[in-house]
Amino acid sequence: MNEHLIINIGRQLGSGGFDIARLLAAEFSARLLDKELLDLAAKESGFSQKLFKSSDEHRSFIHHFFPTRLFSSPCDSFYENKISPESLFKFQSEAIRKAAEEGACVIVGRCGDYILRDFPNVVNIFITADEAQRIARISKTKMCDSNTARRLIEKKEAERSRYYNYYTGKTWGEAKSYDICINSSILGIENTATFLADYIRMVTKQR
């Protein structure tokens, strides 16, 4: 297997996409990158991780100046500045590309399929699941009732969709945007990961 295998995972909230990504990372001895990308982007840009967290997979314009410490170094002074979501996306994109250049990785969300579209040996996957299972999973992890879980799913997915569509010019969750889309409810989390691992081996062998 090519040491620079890159797997991009798009996922619906509550689909088990992160768990599947974790299993695939272990299977291919690849680096798993999810929230860690925020730390990498902060490190590369010199800006505070809080800025990247504030715009993580949702595009919200910043209409005011930040009366806060923008740089992460303790020696930097406090000052005010205006940072656009586009600038944050650019820094995060650079961090993603750098990580992909360093070796095999599994990237969860954050337009990885678009950012790394020109890289070789890339497999783009979208994970979905039945609504009832997604609601049940979020209810359990967030310790909330089903109505609250449903609202959380709707809100987060609207944010992810706007973010992805804006920066990629494609449609989040649409089959033609990925190599394969799969419903994890059919096989379950572990079997879905096994199925995808076999698919990845076949695809990369053909390339």
Side-chain angles (χ1 to χ4, degrees):
M1 185 64 63
N2 190 305
E3 65 177 5
H4 281 83
L5 171 67
I6 300 165
I7 304 169
N8 293 304
I9 304 286
R11 73 285 182 224
Q12 286 188 304
L13 189 66
S15 65
F18 177 80
D19 292 328
I20 291 169
R22 177 175 50 79
L23 291 168
L24 289 174
E27 178 70 22
F28 293 106
S29 300
R31 185 180 183 186
L32 177 61
L33 294 169
D34 183 19
K35 297 294 185 183
E36 295 84 357
L37 287 168
L38 305 182
D39 294 325
L40 291 174
K43 181 179 179 180
E44 289 297 312
S45 66
F47 288 108
S48 168
Q49 195 242 30
K50 290 181 180 179
L51 283 177
F52 293 94
K53 186 176 180 180
S54 70
S55 63
D56 188 28
E57 289 198 289
H58 65 86
R59 184 176 181 273
S60 57
F61 286 98
I62 303 171
H63 294 291
H64 60 279
F65 290 93
F66 278 86
T68 185
R69 186 187 297 272
L70 295 183
F71 286 95
S72 57
S73 172
C75 64
D76 291 319
S77 61
F78 284 93
Y79 76 103
E80 295 181 348
N81 201 350
K82 187 174 184 179
I83 306 298
S84 71
E86 286 75 14
S87 295
L88 298 179
F89 179 77
K90 180 181 178 182
F91 288 128
Q92 184 167 273
S93 297
E94 291 172 351
I96 289 172
R97 282 191 287 266
K98 183 174 181 180
E101 289 170 352
E102 291 175 349
C105 56
V106 178
I107 296 172
V108 181
R110 298 169 183 83
C111 304
D113 60 305
Y114 175 76
I115 293 165
L116 302 176
R117 62 194 182 279
D118 295 326
F119 276 59
N121 215 32
V122 175
V123 181
N124 299 316
I125 298 168
F126 190 84
I127 311 294
T128 184
D130 294 345
E131 183 180 44
Q133 287 193 16
R134 293 166 59 217
I135 291 172
R137 187 173 284 119
I138 295 302
S139 294
K140 181 178 180 180
T141 58
K142 298 295 185 181
M143 294 183 289
C144 62
D145 60 46
S146 60
N147 288 331
T148 301
R150 183 182 287 106
R151 288 194 295 271
L152 286 171
I153 289 171
E154 291 173 352
K155 179 178 183 295
K156 185 62 177 177
E157 292 196 347
E159 291 173 349
R160 285 180 180 174
S161 178
R162 285 194 296 268
Y163 180 88
Y164 182 90
N165 296 351
Y166 177 81
Y167 287 113
T168 69
K170 300 193 294 181
T171 302
W172 182 77
E174 189 173 67
K176 66 180 182 180
S177 296
Y178 311 90
D179 295 314
I180 185 171
C181 298
I182 189 166
N183 185 336
S184 64
S185 297
I186 297 173
L187 298 176
I189 300 299
E190 292 188 1
N191 287 333
T192 296
T194 299
F195 175 89
L196 287 172
D198 290 339
Y199 171 83
I200 291 165
R201 291 189 185 92
M202 287 188 288
V203 168
T204 54
K205 187 176 180 180
Q206 293 295 322
R207 292 176 177 172

